Amino acid sequence: MSANDYVHKVLPGSPGGPLLFAFHGTGGDENQFLGLARELMPAATVVAPRGDVSEHGAARFFRRTGEGVYDMDDLGRATTKMQGFVRAHVDAAKPSAVFGIGYSNGANILASVLFADPVLFDASVLMHPLIPFAPEVKGSLAGRRVLITAGRRDPIGPPGLTSRLQDHLLAAGAGSTIDWHEGGHEIRTGEIEATQRFFAAAQKAGAAA
């Protein structure tokens, strides 16, 4: 596994500052959240990979056989590959902290990496995730922070599964909260503002540690 396993873009930040990984949704690419990530964390080096799976021309990070029906073998492949990609960038940059943000399919691959490697990310934002299975967390998420943002009327990420995901994260020791809005699968201004506050608090906590 290497830092070039995915097509990706890097926005350099302050030397020795944090790394922020940005994971796009289905049909997006490495540019989808590059600008937003910079706004959310101006001093961070932003790394944005492009999913290596094509679903009728739409980029994704792992395969599925239907809406909410995942190819679990391919999810395992993608998780291992992404874990190696992130670690390679972390080893090269030696950052002060490692953060992640993902939307929809990007949130799902980020969550899967959290389950597989709980100490890799200091703080993560999962925007409209869908984890339809009971995850096996390989270790403890103690000291790690996770913000979930979600819509109460999201037809793709049902609220019940969102709440169940938070329960799994809390059981593994993570500090986890959910920021709800009353809409569906779209990203709203309020959750971006919640993400800004979350990252600011995470950086402050890291600096005080």
Side-chain angles (χ1 to χ4, degrees):
M1 301 295 176
S2 80
N4 293 311
D5 277 348
Y6 289 89
V7 174
H8 66 283
K9 284 190 175 179
V10 177
L11 285 182
S14 301
L19 266 180
L20 174 58
F21 291 85
F23 304 98
H24 65 78
T26 298
D29 62 19
E30 64 274 22
N31 299 296
Q32 185 176 25
F33 291 112
L34 206 59
L36 175 60
R38 168 59 80 232
E39 291 177 20
L40 291 170
M41 199 173 287
T45 292
V46 179
V47 181
R50 183 196 305 171
D52 60 350
V53 168
S54 176
E55 182 179 86
H56 308 297
R60 284 177 54 84
F61 290 102
F62 58 89
R63 300 186 188 282
R64 61 182 174 180
T65 57
E67 190 68 60
V69 183
Y70 298 162
D71 180 331
M72 297 303 290
D73 288 339
D74 194 60
L75 176 58
R77 172 206 64 83
T79 299
T80 298
K81 182 177 178 181
M82 186 61 73
Q83 182 181 352
F85 174 81
V86 171
R87 280 213 168 274
H89 280 274
V90 171
D91 290 345
K94 296 179 172 52
S96 58
V98 183
F99 301 103
I101 182 170
Y103 166 66
S104 195
N105 182 240
N108 299 336
I109 190 64
L110 175 54
S112 191
V113 172
L114 294 181
F115 305 149
D117 196 344
V119 301
L120 188 50
F121 289 91
D122 296 288
S124 304
V125 177
L126 307 176
M127 307 180 90
H128 301 265
L130 172 60
I131 302 298
F133 55 90
E136 177 187 353
V137 181
K138 296 179 180 178
S140 172
L141 283 164
R144 311 294 155 171
R145 298 167 177 238
V146 183
L147 171 67
I148 302 171
T149 69
R152 294 191 185 277
R153 295 174 176 81
D154 190 337
I156 296 174
L161 290 183
T162 300
S163 296
R164 190 181 75 171
L165 170 60
Q166 186 194 31
D167 290 342
H168 285 298
L169 294 170
L170 291 171
S176 179
T177 57
I178 302 178
D179 184 83
W180 295 100
H181 66 61
E182 296 304 316
H185 202 60
E186 75 280 1
I187 297 174
R188 293 194 174 183
T189 301
E191 60 192 291
I192 293 174
E193 293 170 348
T195 297
Q196 278 185 311
R197 294 192 297 271
F198 172 79
F199 279 143
Q203 289 184 89
K204 185 176 181 181

